[in-house]
Amino acid sequence: MADPARARRLAKRIGAIVASVIEYEIKDPRLTMVTVTDTRVTNDLHDATVYYTVMGQTLSEEPDYAGAAAALEKAKGVLRTKVGAGTGVRFTPTLTFVLDTIGDTSRHMEELLDRARAADAALAEVRQGAVHAGDADPYKVSSVDETADDEDDERRPD
């Protein structure tokens, strides 16, 4: 079992190599908008998971996730060869590519927060003219009860 610090350093190096090879050496047009976001290596240094995201060509265009996944799967052998040559480890880790959905998750969270802010603003508007239901002091005690309690206190021996 390898040192976890060594696994982190190897993961960082693998991510840099994969990103560089995708950008400069692989000429597949489906990989032009692929960005490597994170890389994780198991502690035994045999498996590496590369997280990636795909950007759209324009803001209104939906990214081609399936095309990018197919292109990465096709280029997996070349990428593993380059990783082996670039890292110099005894056993080149197997590469697994996982779509990183952190961007979609953050957009969804922002939408939920916007909805919560709007609901809070609507509630604040309703609360402006609101008054409490019932009496202003619901725990008010009648004067008859107060005198009865005072008499009971005087009769009790200490």
Side-chain angles (χ1 to χ4, degrees):
M1 188 134 171
D3 181 28
R6 181 175 182 213
R8 283 192 302 271
R9 287 192 310 269
L10 182 62
K12 187 183 259 189
R13 181 72 182 131
I14 288 172
I17 291 170
V18 169
S20 175
V21 170
I22 287 173
E23 185 175 359
Y24 296 114
E25 296 182 29
I26 297 178
K27 302 300 181 200
D28 194 334
R30 297 176 292 184
L31 295 178
T32 56
M33 298 304 285
V34 171
T35 303
V36 174
T37 56
D38 193 18
T39 308
R40 306 272 170 94
V41 177
T42 57
N43 284 340
D44 63 359
L45 307 180
H46 282 242
D47 299 308
T49 304
V50 179
Y51 295 92
Y52 69 94
T53 186
V54 182
M55 303 295 175
Q57 297 289 341
T58 63
L59 293 176
S60 61
E61 181 181 330
E62 183 68 25
D64 184 20
Y65 296 119
L72 286 170
E73 197 63 35
K74 182 180 175 188
K76 187 184 285 189
V78 173
L79 291 169
R80 187 168 182 223
T81 301
K82 295 292 184 176
V83 165
T87 57
V89 292
R90 181 182 303 164
F91 179 81
T92 303
T94 58
L95 299 177
T96 305
F97 295 97
V98 176
L99 180 63
D100 192 1
T101 58
I102 199 86
D104 295 334
T105 304
S106 65
R107 273 192 294 280
H108 180 67
M109 289 299 292
E110 284 297 324
E111 290 171 2
L112 290 175
L113 288 172
D114 287 341
R115 268 197 256 158
R117 285 186 198 107
D120 286 347
L123 184 63
E125 288 177 16
V126 170
R127 207 180 301 156
Q128 290 296 330
V131 294
H132 291 290
D135 294 334
D137 186 10
Y139 300 108
K140 197 186 308 182
V141 180
S142 67
S143 61
V144 174
D145 290 340
E146 289 176 8
T147 58
D149 287 340
D150 290 341
E151 291 173 5
D152 288 341
D153 289 340
E154 292 175 5
R155 292 183 199 161
R156 289 189 195 143
D158 287 313

